């Protein structure tokens, strides 16, 4: 864990995707330096900033001033906050704003916000003029360690989440760790679930480091920067191995199949469950299900459960406030998930901490009886 | 011109784009064989056919039957014919139809129609599930020799044409030459302008062959198939050299800068001017403008004018029915064209037949005085 023991104020993770390679900068004060960092990397001198009404009052002026100081002319569009903004309607609004700003191929769309703003703006950046430059300035822990890295963009339709989108890699990601101080504890914890996920996928040492250092990660400072950098590096490794999600990239969905089903079962009501919380419960379920299939030791599932519980995350279906639909309904949601290929159930299972793998022939009868057993009602 | 002198009943052009490589089949009876050709190349056994109300009554049943015979389950969506269908609204409709048909990544969207249907369906195929398989069954000469090959997809917005879209290569193009028999002479001629363009870009022998053989191309048979195959090969060569249009692919816009301005000036009213006619006039103007800049001989411009006039295409602004706006308005349309980079005027100019090149520093004053000179009113 050399990457973790050193403790500089700022970290750089390079995502080596050939001509689509890009830098992720992680550290304090990056919004104030955004203009300079963009100006050294991009040819264009115009930018369209897309943000939401929660983030704009706190950070938009600082970003705009930073761009102006670097000679970059910018416009801005402030959208409603929340998952509903990831729609065709708002995609049109963003494309129109980008075209009105006369953004050309070497100019940039800048996403200032969390995953919703990043996914929507990245999609628009990928389709206006068949692709313009794209800069992510993620303002949540979840987006800093997950959605800002890897180039998946998209919107939701009534058929499901993220079913329409493109792969469009950013040209730069600026993860300003100062902004995390304005997140609620609940939001921070939800992002932390994805940090822990990288350890559980294939980095047992990182998971052990998190077990030992999670309090420092939550309180800020060098450990937090290192945890984010390690997460971005882990995601980068997976993305580089499989940019367009044909194979190993599916590992990033550890905990997500169960998690998505729970999000759907709670109608994406963030008062009951947010994405990271669903992933936390999903990861515990994935370990328990693997144990039930005699793939992993039950002790590993207990260890995952214990750590996530310690940091304050929900780990059981019963932790979700309100009633859940019956196991059969959860099963239907799983079967309709996009990770079904030609009717086969694909699951991320594990042989233990940091030993996850893609299983594409999981019998749905096993999943259903497991869900019935775990169902709180 | 070996490729031209042989005369088989069917031709295959392979577009060698690495993992995105694909075949273009050109010949009679391909709609009847579509199912078999698709089944041998694609893993999926589902297809969503997108077509328009002009094409559907003639070819949809035959295509559907062919798919069924090959074990491919298909659904179909029939859209209004015409350029207005290339809109965000119809893009949503197509995405919804594709998702309703439960098309997964290895299944196909099939575009059965001309350029409008191809551009719109290809865009939807590029964004549903971040990319599903795509098959083009072009039913106009223009789409067989131009828009079906190369992966450019898109829609129009009030800011301009094709300003929103993706690069999404087809997996197969089936150019059934039988369908050309149902085109009007005017439509066929408009497509022929793009055929001639490939000679003018960098194939002087092909242009000379067309001057000698155009009547056979118009009457059908082997010469027509060879002309289409040579055009697809020419486009393939350019696309392979520059898939994402950063450099030499711009040569495909020979005649298009003037042509687009004339299309805009006639409000895209197909009664006055269709795309291929605008390109025909634009190519003559590009040769005359090159001659005025002392780059090419005036004899070359005369030769282009003579050939296009012989086949029945308009070659002069004065050939367009109705009044045109003044030269200054045409100039504004050119300046607003998407091929403007960082304020510089980019033009495709030529040193003679088959010797075109990209010039990115053309003074707009020269263009304006040329347009004034050529303006019919």
């Amino acid at each position: 864990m050399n990457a973790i023991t050193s403790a500089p104020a700022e970290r750089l993770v390079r995502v080596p995707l050939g001509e689509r390679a890009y830098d992720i900068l992680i550290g304090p004060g990056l919004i104030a330096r955004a203009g300079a960092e963009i100006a050294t990397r991009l040819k264009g001198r115009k930018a369209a900033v897309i943000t939401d009404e929660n983030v704009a009052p706190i950070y938009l002026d600082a970003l705009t001033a930073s761009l102006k100081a670097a000679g970059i002319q910018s416009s801005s569009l402030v959208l409603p906050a929340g998952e509903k903004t990831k729609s065709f309607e708002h995609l049109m609004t963003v494309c129109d704003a980008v075209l009105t700003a006369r953004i050309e191929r070497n100019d940039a769309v800048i996403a200032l916000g969390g995953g919703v703003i990043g996914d929507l703006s990245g999609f628009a950046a990928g389709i206006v003029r068949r692709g313009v430059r794209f800069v992510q300035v993620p303002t949540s822990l979840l987006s800093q360690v997950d959605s800002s890295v890897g180039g998946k963009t998209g919107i939701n339709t009534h058929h499901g989440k993220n079913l329409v989108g493109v792969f469009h890699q950013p040209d730069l990601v600026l993860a300003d760790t100062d902004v995390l101080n304005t997140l609620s504890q609940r939001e921070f914890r939800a992002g932390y679930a994805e940090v822990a996920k990288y350890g559980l996928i294939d980095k047992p040492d990182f998971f052990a480091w998190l077990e030992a250092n999670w309090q420092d990660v939550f309180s800020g400072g060098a450990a937090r920067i290192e945890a984010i950098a390690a997460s971005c590096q882990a995601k980068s490794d997976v993305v580089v191995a499989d940019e367009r999600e044909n194979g190993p990239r599916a590992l990033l969905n550890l905990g997500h199949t169960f998690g998505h089903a729970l999000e759907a079962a709670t109608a994406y009501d963030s008062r009951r469950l947010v994405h990271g919380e669903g992933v936390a419960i999903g990861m515990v379920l994935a370990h328990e299900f693997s144990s039930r299939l005699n793939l992993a030791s039950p002790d590993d599932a207990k260890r995952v459960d214990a750590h996530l519980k310690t940091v304050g995350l929900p780990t059981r279906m019963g932790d979700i406030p309100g009633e859940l639909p019956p196991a059969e309904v959860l099963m239907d949601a799983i079967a309709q998930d996009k990770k079904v290929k030609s009717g086969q159930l694909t699951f991320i299972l594990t042989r233990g901490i940091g030993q996850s793998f893609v299983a594409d022939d999981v019998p749905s009868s096993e999943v259903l009886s497991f869900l019935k057993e775990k169902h709180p009602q």
Side-chain angles (χ1 to χ4, degrees), chain A:
Chain A
M1 298 300 293
N2 288 341
I4 303 289
T5 48
S6 70
E10 185 172 306
R11 290 288 307 276
L12 184 151
V13 174
R14 176 90 179 154
V15 185
L17 281 170
E19 62 181 17
R20 289 182 300 287
Y22 58 94
D23 290 339
I24 306 167
L25 296 183
I26 303 140
L30 281 167
I31 288 181
R33 269 173 40 216
E37 297 293 345
I38 293 169
T40 61
R41 287 172 177 83
L42 269 64
K43 277 190 242 164
R45 285 296 170 264
K46 271 191 281 191
V49 180
I50 315 298
T51 186
D52 72 32
E53 58 199 12
N54 288 347
V55 173
I58 323 181
Y59 302 113
L60 182 56
D61 285 351
L63 178 60
T64 303
S66 159
L67 293 168
K68 192 177 174 189
I72 298 170
Q73 175 195 336
S74 72
S75 62
S76 63
L77 175 69
V78 181
L79 296 170
E83 189 74 25
K84 287 202 170 129
T85 298
K86 280 176 66 172
S87 67
F88 252 117
E89 186 192 10
H90 285 104
L91 179 68
M92 282 175 63
T93 306
V94 176
C95 288
D96 189 53
V98 174
L99 285 165
T100 299
R102 292 190 161 263
I103 299 297
E104 296 180 14
R105 282 198 187 168
N106 289 324
D107 299 321
V109 170
I110 302 178
L112 173 67
V116 167
I117 290 297
D119 287 0
L120 177 71
S121 311
F123 191 7
I127 63 177
V128 169
R129 298 180 192 277
R130 299 195 187 91
V132 300
R133 303 296 173 188
F134 179 46
V135 175
Q136 294 257 24
V137 186
T139 58
S140 68
L141 178 57
L142 182 62
S143 56
Q144 291 191 352
V145 300
D146 183 18
S147 56
S148 285
V149 182
K152 280 171 75 170
T153 74
I155 56 173
N156 308 325
T157 76
H158 69 93
H159 295 278
K161 286 180 74 173
N162 298 318
L163 286 176
V164 177
V166 291
F167 288 95
H168 187 62
Q169 299 293 343
D171 295 90
L172 176 65
V173 180
L174 297 172
D176 187 331
T177 50
D178 284 341
V179 307
L180 303 178
N181 298 324
T182 58
L183 295 182
S184 71
Q185 273 296 299
R186 189 180 172 207
E187 275 180 290
F188 191 88
R189 280 195 298 259
Y192 184 85
E194 299 277 357
V195 173
K197 186 188 75 177
Y198 294 112
L200 295 175
I201 290 174
D202 61 356
K203 293 186 171 47
D205 291 354
F206 181 52
F207 188 74
W209 182 87
L210 288 172
E211 287 177 311
N213 295 282
W214 69 271
Q215 282 171 305
D216 293 341
V217 174
F218 274 71
S219 62
R224 177 183 285 181
I225 293 173
E226 294 308 319
I228 296 170
S231 299
C232 290
Q233 185 65 58
K235 178 143 189 188
S236 168
D237 292 347
V238 177
V239 168
V240 168
D242 178 22
E243 187 179 356
R244 294 181 78 90
E245 200 173 31
N246 297 309
R249 185 161 175 170
L251 291 174
L252 295 173
N253 288 319
L254 175 64
H256 282 59
T257 305
F258 287 122
H260 282 163
L262 293 170
E263 284 184 87
T266 50
Y268 301 97
D269 179 348
S270 61
R271 290 166 301 184
R272 295 182 66 193
L273 191 74
V274 295
H275 177 72
E277 292 168 346
V279 170
I281 301 171
M283 290 194 298
V284 173
L285 289 172
H287 280 76
E288 289 179 340
F289 186 52
S290 298
S291 158
R292 181 193 168 95
L293 296 173
N294 291 317
L295 292 163
S297 155
D299 291 346
D300 286 324
K302 281 179 196 152
R303 198 176 142 196
V304 176
D305 182 41
H307 178 56
L308 298 179
K309 198 174 284 169
T310 300
V311 308
L313 279 163
T315 59
R316 304 274 145 200
M317 288 197 263
D319 294 340
I320 302 170
E323 288 222 348
L324 285 178
E328 288 79 3
V329 174
L330 295 175
M331 190 63 219
D332 278 352
I334 287 173
Q336 281 177 32
D337 199 74
K338 65 179 172 173
K339 283 172 284 300
V340 177
K341 262 193 195 169
S342 304
Q344 288 272 30
L345 266 190
T346 298
F347 251 86
I348 313 305
L349 299 177
T350 187
R351 295 190 179 87
I353 306 285
Q355 299 178 65
S356 68
F357 65 98
V358 183
D360 55 11
D361 53 354
V362 175
S364 55
S365 56
E366 284 281 342
V367 182
L368 180 58
S369 60
F370 172 72
L371 281 172
K372 282 181 175 168
E373 187 188 305
K374 292 292 167 185
H375 201 282
Q377 279 111 28

